[in-house]
Amino acid sequence: MKFSQVWIVLQKEITDLLRDRKTWVTSVLLPLLLIPGLMILIAKMQAGTEEAARNHIPIAVIGQQAEVEKAITSYEGIEVVKTDDPKQALADGEVRAVVEIDEQFAQKVQAKQPATVNILYNPAEQKSSIAQGVLKGLLDGLEQQLMAQRLAELNISAEAIKPLDVQTVDVSTDDQKAGSFLGFIVPLLLIVSCVTGALPAATDLMAGEKERGTLEALLTTPVNGMAILTGKLITTSLMGFVSAIASTIAMVIAAKILPSVLGGEADGFGLSLSFLSAGNVALMLVMLLGLAVMFASLMLCVSSLAKSFKEAQTYLAPFMIVAMVPVYATMFTSPQDAPLSYYFLPVVNATMMVKELLYGTVDFTHITYVLGSTLLYAAIAVGVASKLFRREGLIVKG
């Protein structure tokens, strides 16, 4: 196989793809436009929904007790709704929570006994959960007030009944916070983009050309068959790689502009992007290249089994699921909890390596395992594609 022949085939395939606007729109332009737009839209909707839920909280009250009603109505957004059946109103969504006051509340408070106040809410409804949180905070304040009164009557200081002062201290770094938030989104974007970017090229360069008869014509030229396969493989891998890079750039742009777009609603959305150091980016690019070659080889194998362009699209569609399942399976697994075997499993290893880098951890032993195993899987996939391409019955239209 001569490199000059590979270069000729590569130029031909790249030229064909450059003329195909749909491929570039799907693989590069859409991620660049859609990902920042979707991230901003989701963040704005989340912030807007929570603000609206806190500004107006219709509730119902069962029982009467002036102190409790005064405590809960001190919150400006709470509206007490009069209804004959408060529980049914909660089930129907007419109120977001029901405050049920103990009938013996006053007597129990007077007798210095615990009085019950129940908050009924629907945890399946986000607005009802927010209402429960607001009411719980207001009633905790009332509890502290009543406790202070009792202690004052008994001439006991508040510190005397508090033997422990338990404080929670946040020791996580900005990198770890960002890693916790981005640890699912970034691997998903990178890995799925490798598939979505390569899919149109793999479909057209093998099954499409076979259906049009151009693959047979190409094989009759003096160019070596392996040079043809290598040219197609590089082109398909390149499309997956470029798509993954475009998705990453789009995600970084979105993370950068999100605070300024959301303004006062941006609390909790500020993310550290310090993981994007030159060394980490270089490691991720090597990993993505191996992943792109592996997916491209497997897709060309599957595409060669199809007799038509549409048939290849059907066969290649499950690759999306194959790419997404390992990412979803490790969604709640932090790098500290991941068993060593995860760094050798295909796709899972790439997910764990990206997660480690997002958490600010650079473990060269794990990186060696991931890059080594990914390149090995890529080499095996290339070997399988090479073997299939030698079978004339698969690549020639029957």
Side-chain angles (χ1 to χ4, degrees):
M1 183 177 68
K2 296 179 180 177
F3 179 75
S4 58
Q5 293 182 343
V6 175
W7 179 243
I8 291 170
V9 175
L10 184 61
Q11 282 181 304
K12 175 254 179 194
E13 302 297 3
I14 293 289
T15 304
D16 287 346
L17 283 178
L18 285 174
R19 290 173 181 161
D20 185 4
R21 293 181 182 176
K22 287 186 294 183
T23 299
W24 287 97
V25 167
T26 305
S27 304
V28 180
L29 193 58
L30 276 182
L32 282 173
L33 295 177
L34 278 181
I35 291 172
L38 282 174
M39 287 182 71
I40 291 169
L41 180 65
I42 291 169
K44 281 190 81 68
M45 286 178 65
Q46 185 177 342
T49 300
E50 185 160 345
E51 185 181 0
R54 289 183 178 278
N55 287 341
H56 181 224
I57 305 176
I59 65 166
V61 178
I62 299 176
Q64 289 187 333
Q65 216 296 317
E67 281 182 295
V68 176
E69 292 182 19
K70 183 182 176 183
I72 58 179
T73 54
S74 63
Y75 189 86
E76 192 175 345
I78 285 184
E79 177 193 1
V80 179
V81 176
K82 300 294 182 187
T83 174
D84 295 333
D85 190 345
K87 293 181 181 177
Q88 186 59 46
L90 177 61
D92 294 340
E94 295 172 6
V95 296
R96 293 180 193 159
V98 176
V99 177
E100 190 176 34
I101 305 170
D102 193 334
E103 292 179 357
Q104 303 297 317
F105 185 92
Q107 293 87 333
K108 288 183 177 177
V109 169
Q110 188 67 31
K112 294 184 173 52
Q113 295 176 350
T116 305
V117 179
N118 296 322
I119 302 173
L120 285 67
Y121 75 108
N122 182 0
E125 296 287 341
Q126 185 187 10
K127 290 184 177 179
S128 185
S129 294
I130 291 172
Q132 182 268 344
V134 172
L135 289 169
K136 180 75 167 50
L138 294 169
L139 292 171
D140 284 347
L142 176 62
E143 182 188 21
Q144 293 298 320
Q145 183 184 334
L146 292 173
M147 184 183 293
Q149 289 175 3
R150 289 184 183 182
L151 292 173
E153 289 170 8
L154 296 169
N155 198 24
I156 299 174
S157 66
E159 290 74 17
I161 62 164
K162 193 176 181 184
L164 293 178
D165 184 13
V166 180
Q167 303 274 350
T168 56
V169 180
D170 183 357
V171 297
S172 63
T173 62
D174 290 343
D175 286 345
Q176 288 172 326
K177 288 188 179 75
S180 176
F181 180 77
L182 298 173
F184 170 68
I185 299 173
V186 175
L188 185 69
L189 279 178
L190 292 176
I191 293 168
V192 171
S193 296
C194 279
V195 174
T196 55
L199 200 144
T203 309
D204 186 65
L205 297 186
M206 195 61 79
E209 287 207 24
K210 191 161 70 173
E211 186 178 30
R212 294 191 297 273
T214 54
L215 185 57
E216 292 179 41
L218 192 60
L219 288 168
T220 59
T221 63
V223 178
N224 182 278
M226 285 301 103
I228 295 173
L229 174 64
T230 306
K232 291 180 180 298
L233 183 58
I234 293 175
T235 307
T236 309
S237 304
L238 196 61
M239 289 305 298
F241 187 68
V242 169
S243 182
I245 299 300
S247 297
T248 307
I249 292 172
M251 187 271 301
V252 172
I253 292 172
K256 283 282 187 188
I257 65 174
L258 205 55
S260 58
V261 172
L262 293 179
E265 301 169 349
D267 291 345
F269 290 101
L271 296 172
S272 167
L273 297 179
S274 60
F275 67 89
L276 288 172
S277 64
N280 286 357
V281 170
L283 289 171
M284 284 197 279
L285 289 179
V286 174
M287 181 273 294
L288 280 176
L289 193 58
L291 209 59
V293 172
M294 184 186 77
F295 279 124
S297 304
L298 294 175
M299 285 183 178
L300 287 175
C301 289
V302 174
S303 183
S304 69
L305 300 174
K307 295 178 181 175
S308 66
F309 187 88
K310 286 186 176 179
E311 192 177 338
Q313 285 181 317
T314 305
Y315 290 166
L316 291 173
F319 269 85
M320 286 287 292
I321 300 171
V322 170
M324 290 169 70
V325 165
V327 184
Y328 277 101
T330 55
M331 185 192 311
F332 300 110
T333 305
S334 66
Q336 296 91 339
D337 300 329
L340 188 62
S341 59
Y342 279 21
Y343 295 90
F344 294 96
L345 297 173
V347 184
V348 173
N349 55 4
T351 305
M352 296 315 302
M353 177 179 146
V354 175
K355 278 193 173 189
E356 275 198 347
L357 296 178
L358 290 172
Y359 274 78
T361 304
V362 180
D363 187 325
F364 286 105
T365 303
H366 288 169
I367 289 170
T368 303
Y369 292 157
V370 173
L371 296 184
S373 56
T374 301
L375 294 177
L376 175 65
Y377 294 132
I380 293 172
V382 170
V384 174
S386 173
K387 192 172 182 180
L388 283 179
F389 201 73
R390 289 193 179 94
R391 294 174 62 180
E392 189 175 322
L394 286 178
I395 59 174
V396 177
K397 187 178 180 181

